[in-house]
Amino acid sequence: MYITRALVAAFLAPVCTNALATPNTVKRSAAAEVENGKFIVDRQAEFANHQSWTFDGSGIPEGLGVSTYPVNGQRGFYAENAVVRNGYLELIQSAGPDFPYRGGEVVTSVKNIKYASVRTVAILTETYGTCNGMFFYQSNTQETDIEWLSDPNNLSNQGTRKLWLTNQDKNGDGKTYLAIDPPANPTTTEHEYRIDWTEGRVAWFVDGVQVWETNKDVPSVPGPWIWNNWSNGDIGWSAGPPTEDAVFKIRSIDMYYNTA
């Protein structure tokens, strides 16, 4: 996310739906079927557009832009912290402790996405003290995300590193979220992290297997998709900053989407 968070797990909103299957560490999501020029995902959702990105070159591919802006004067995103090398997009949170903390972020050039199936194959950050994000964001009340908190000892993880699946609060009664165990060896092994956002529903998948879904706090307005790696020192969430450069490595992104 963009904003500073001071979260303590005991005060987080209650989970609203049940978790589903444990993800398989080998599978990937099936490609959409193409019918009459439309992309059909799992026979459940229809999308008009498709983009995919790999990172075998030396620069950020067309369709993605690098963020460069400050956040609350304490931290920010910097061009040099989003680097393509060795087949990955590397989003880097620089070592602290000096302000501003320097993170990395990319965002889609398409800024009016409304409903999508987005699959990110990535290696999550091992170094303690960052948040890795893969998410749709239009505002603080219009967001659906997958986030990885690399420090197990922050007040949200409470000793065990989790993947956080969240729709941010739309109506003032608390966000809708679930914290799940990550797949095997997430900081050394590539896994696929997927969000399917359709009208009135968000479903999350890991390695092609659905792990959760909800119809609560579902975004309903268009906006961009974002990937980032950041720290703000908040012991309740990102913790940090890291004592050495921390890297979130993205191998590929596959996005089926509609616009509004």
Side-chain angles (χ1 to χ4, degrees):
M1 298 181 62
Y2 290 123
I3 61 173
T4 299
R5 296 203 248 186
L7 300 178
V8 178
F11 295 100
L12 292 173
V15 173
C16 297
T17 25
N18 294 323
L20 300 176
T22 299
N24 182 301
T25 60
V26 176
K27 290 178 62 178
R28 295 288 183 262
S29 299
E33 299 177 36
V34 181
E35 296 181 2
N36 301 316
K38 302 292 186 180
F39 300 94
I40 313 300
V41 171
D42 295 345
R43 309 308 307 172
Q44 295 183 4
E46 180 179 289
F47 300 101
N49 307 287
H50 176 230
Q51 288 197 62
S52 61
W53 296 279
T54 57
F55 303 98
D56 297 322
S58 58
I60 304 296
E62 184 177 357
L64 296 175
V66 176
S67 297
T68 56
Y69 63 89
V71 182
N72 298 329
Q74 181 188 30
R75 63 184 181 92
F77 295 108
Y78 294 80
E80 60 269 27
N81 285 45
V83 178
V84 174
R85 59 187 168 201
N86 301 321
Y88 292 95
L89 167 63
E90 295 187 359
L91 300 178
I92 303 163
Q93 171 59 50
S94 299
D98 296 332
F99 290 128
Y101 301 155
R102 304 172 70 88
E105 179 178 277
V106 296
V107 58
T108 55
S109 299
V110 179
K111 299 297 193 292
N112 62 338
I113 296 167
K114 188 176 182 184
Y115 309 131
S117 176
V118 182
R119 302 98 183 270
T120 303
V121 175
I123 299 175
L124 304 177
T125 298
E126 168 60 31
T127 306
Y128 288 7
T130 76
C131 175
N132 298 168
M134 300 164 263
F135 57 105
F136 166 85
Y137 179 91
Q138 191 273 339
S139 69
N140 295 341
T141 62
Q142 295 283 335
E143 176 180 347
T144 183
D145 61 49
I146 298 173
E147 292 176 293
W148 166 253
L149 306 182
S150 65
D151 189 339
N153 299 312
N154 65 45
L155 297 180
S156 294
N157 278 337
Q158 295 191 331
T160 304
R161 296 199 283 193
K162 299 287 187 179
L163 279 178
W164 291 80
L165 318 176
T166 306
N167 288 341
Q168 297 300 327
D169 183 21
K170 285 180 64 176
N171 55 11
D173 65 352
K175 68 183 182 179
T176 301
Y177 78 97
L178 180 68
I180 67 170
D181 291 332
N185 306 312
T187 64
T188 58
T189 303
E190 294 176 4
H191 293 277
E192 182 195 76
Y193 304 94
R194 170 181 162 192
I195 297 174
D196 280 14
W197 167 40
T198 53
E199 185 174 4
R201 175 181 178 266
V202 177
W204 290 261
F205 301 73
V206 177
D207 291 324
V209 176
Q210 186 177 334
V211 294
W212 191 40
E213 67 176 81
T214 185
N215 61 5
K216 301 190 180 296
D217 290 319
V218 176
S220 56
V221 300
W225 217 274
I226 300 168
W227 297 260
N228 62 20
N229 186 19
W230 60 272
S231 178
N232 66 356
D234 176 9
I235 189 60
W237 193 248
S238 72
T243 57
E244 60 185 61
D245 287 358
V247 183
F248 173 27
K249 300 173 68 174
I250 298 175
R251 171 68 79 180
S252 65
I253 300 167
D254 205 30
M255 182 173 75
Y256 301 95
Y257 65 101
N258 292 325
T259 57

